[in-house]
Amino acid sequence: MLRIAFAAFALAAPIALALPAAAQQKMVWHTQEGEESAALVFGVPETDQAAIFFLCKPGTEGVTVQTMIGSKGLAKDADARIILTAGGTKKTFEGKAVSSEESGAVDVEAAGKMEDIKPLAKASGSLTIEVKGAKRSVALAGIGEQLAKFEAACKPKS
């Protein structure tokens, strides 16, 4: 369900996976805003290629965390967790396994709060994303400015 919300942010651009290697773009932290939600994404802007994203509805406390790195040994709707580690900060998000109709991969979606993300973003180096059977590190460079934009976009609209 949230994959659909995330996909709505992606503009009609070619998927980076379909591009020749030389034309592929680098994944970066970026913020995407829509009328009803906002997302903080580590991925290729204007595509649906991402490793993780955080989604909010303005005016609500909650933030949805979703990985897009796949997993091994998880079935759709099974209880699952996302473990994010950056520097000396480690945060576990309890959630459910979700499957992608497009790729067939099983990822994890979990509930969190903005306050859960802030300490991770203050670390330097990399963020390690871990779910059952999969682990990936992504650069934290650039997350600070994008987190500030995301946090502002998640505040109630007046």
Side-chain angles (χ1 to χ4, degrees), residues 114-131:
M114 188 68 67
E115 297 306 315
D116 296 329
I117 305 167
K118 288 180 180 182
L120 295 165
K122 289 181 181 178
S124 61
S126 63
L127 172 70
T128 301
I129 306 163
E130 186 174 354
V131 297

Side-chain angles (χ1 to χ4, degrees), residues 126-148:
S126 63
L127 172 70
T128 301
I129 306 163
E130 186 174 354
V131 297
K132 185 175 182 180
K135 190 175 190 178
R136 180 166 175 190
S137 290
V138 301
L140 282 169
I143 193 173
E145 179 182 338
Q146 295 305 315
L147 178 61

Side-chain angles (χ1 to χ4, degrees):
M1 169 108 172
L2 285 177
R3 280 185 183 274
I4 294 168
F6 174 69
F9 285 117
L11 301 175
I15 298 174
L17 292 174
L19 297 174
Q24 285 188 11
Q25 295 177 323
K26 181 179 172 184
M27 287 190 178
V28 295
W29 287 102
H30 60 282
T31 304
Q32 298 174 332
E33 293 182 52
E35 289 184 28
E36 296 183 20
S37 60
L40 172 64
V41 183
F42 184 79
V44 178
E46 300 182 11
T47 73
D48 61 358
Q49 184 182 6
I52 190 167
F53 67 92
F54 303 87
L55 187 70
C56 73
K57 286 187 172 188
T60 62
E61 264 188 50
V63 173
T64 299
V65 183
Q66 185 166 333
T67 62
M68 296 181 74
I69 63 170
S71 68
K72 291 183 182 156
L74 280 178
K76 180 182 174 189
D77 296 325
D79 289 340
R81 69 176 51 138
I82 300 169
I83 301 169
L84 301 180
T85 309
T89 302
K90 183 176 183 177
K91 181 67 183 163
T92 301
F93 299 87
E94 299 293 334
K96 295 275 184 196
V98 294
S99 64
S100 167
E101 292 178 20
E102 300 87 33
S103 70
V106 177
D107 288 306
V108 179
E109 176 182 294
K113 294 183 179 180
M114 188 68 67
E115 297 306 315
D116 296 329
I117 305 167
K118 288 180 180 182
L120 295 165
K122 289 181 181 178
S124 61
S126 63
L127 172 70
T128 301
I129 306 163
E130 186 174 354
V131 297
K132 185 175 182 180
K135 190 175 190 178
R136 180 166 175 190
S137 290
V138 301
L140 282 169
I143 193 173
E145 179 182 338
Q146 295 305 315
L147 178 61
K149 288 180 184 179
F150 177 62
E151 188 172 16
C154 293
K155 291 189 178 186
K157 305 285 185 209
S158 51

